[in-house]
Amino acid sequence: MVPVARSYGIWRDWMMRRASDGRLSCILWDSIALKTFQVPIYAAIIAANGASGIGLFYGILGATVMMLVLGRPYGAFLNFVRGMFGLPAGGERPMSLSER
């Protein structure tokens, strides 16, 4: 996650702009954001390490299910961390030390 964290934060913020204020909408869009960003990266990593065929398929399927379930809790955690640094939820400002 460390090498792609900034990129994911930007991606998530872009995706979350589509969410309404409702809880279900936030859960849905957070899960979609995590799945559409992380699953292709995960697939490339396990393919590069030798997974192929049915093993690759099950790996991608498992990652997809995990990302759908963990998307909103991870998004809420990101908002919590932003709050610790005095930044608004949803990434209206980039999280950067150079802006302080």
Side-chain angles (χ1 to χ4, degrees):
M1 286 296 289
V2 172
V4 298
R6 177 80 172 134
S7 299
Y8 175 68
I10 293 167
W11 176 256
R12 179 184 176 265
D13 294 343
W14 183 76
M15 294 287 284
M16 289 303 288
R17 287 188 200 124
R18 286 141 185 78
S20 66
D21 290 335
R23 181 181 167 132
L24 186 59
S25 181
C26 287
I27 291 170
L28 175 70
W29 283 104
D30 246 340
S31 295
I32 290 171
L34 189 62
K35 184 182 87 58
T36 57
F37 189 87
Q38 291 294 341
V39 171
I41 293 170
Y42 179 73
I45 291 169
I46 62 175
N49 284 289
S52 62
I54 198 71
L56 181 61
F57 173 77
Y58 283 137
I60 293 170
L61 182 63
T64 300
V65 170
M66 282 182 23
M67 301 295 171
L68 285 172
V69 171
L70 298 174
R72 184 58 187 155
Y74 184 59
F77 170 74
L78 291 178
N79 285 339
F80 170 75
V81 171
R82 285 176 170 155
M84 289 176 55
F85 287 92
L87 299 168
E92 294 172 16
R93 275 181 23 207
M95 189 173 186
S96 174
L97 295 176
S98 63
E99 289 190 16
R100 291 241 170 224

